[in-house]
Amino acid sequence: MVYKFAEGVEIVHSESGDYIVKGGQKFMVYGSAIEFLKLIDGKRDMDQILRELVKIYGPSVEPYIIARDLEKFIYDLVEEGIVVLVKTFYDDKRN
């Protein structure tokens, strides 16, 4: 699946920390979530993002743990309306 940020969502990097702004609300972002958000571009699918994160964190974390955490985090972002689904693998198979 491929995701992108929803309209009006902005990632802000500041000295006090990184956060997501949506409709005037701030959502603080910490640790590996920041690296994950940098990879959401509406083009990479979740497997590609996972591979990039494994390159970054692989020596210190098992890939299945990254995948598990990534799945929960993307679900939370969709639920909050921060990211939207752009494309699924099913879309590729129909063409």
Side-chain angles (χ1 to χ4, degrees):
M1 291 195 237
V2 178
Y3 295 92
K4 70 175 185 175
F5 289 102
E7 284 293 317
V9 172
E10 181 182 358
I11 305 295
V12 177
H13 305 286
S14 72
E15 288 185 22
S16 61
D18 296 331
Y19 55 93
I20 299 167
V21 178
K22 177 189 170 246
Q25 270 188 296
K26 284 185 183 179
F27 299 87
M28 294 304 293
V29 183
Y30 304 97
S32 61
I34 296 165
E35 294 301 324
F36 171 63
L37 293 173
K38 289 178 185 177
L39 296 169
I40 295 175
D41 61 6
K43 297 175 183 144
R44 292 184 184 117
D45 65 37
M46 293 303 287
D47 287 340
Q48 292 168 319
I49 290 174
L50 176 60
R51 282 192 292 274
E52 290 299 316
L53 291 173
V54 167
K55 287 178 190 174
I56 296 168
Y57 297 106
S60 60
V61 180
E62 292 292 330
Y64 74 90
I65 292 174
I66 297 171
R68 180 198 64 201
D69 293 348
L70 187 60
E71 182 178 9
K72 175 161 179 11
F73 188 50
I74 196 68
Y75 177 80
D76 291 344
L77 293 173
V78 169
E79 284 292 306
E80 291 293 334
I82 293 169
V83 298
V84 293
L85 182 64
V86 174
K87 181 177 166 184
T88 67
F89 293 117
Y90 178 72
D91 295 335
D92 288 339
K93 292 177 182 178
R94 289 190 305 186
N95 295 331

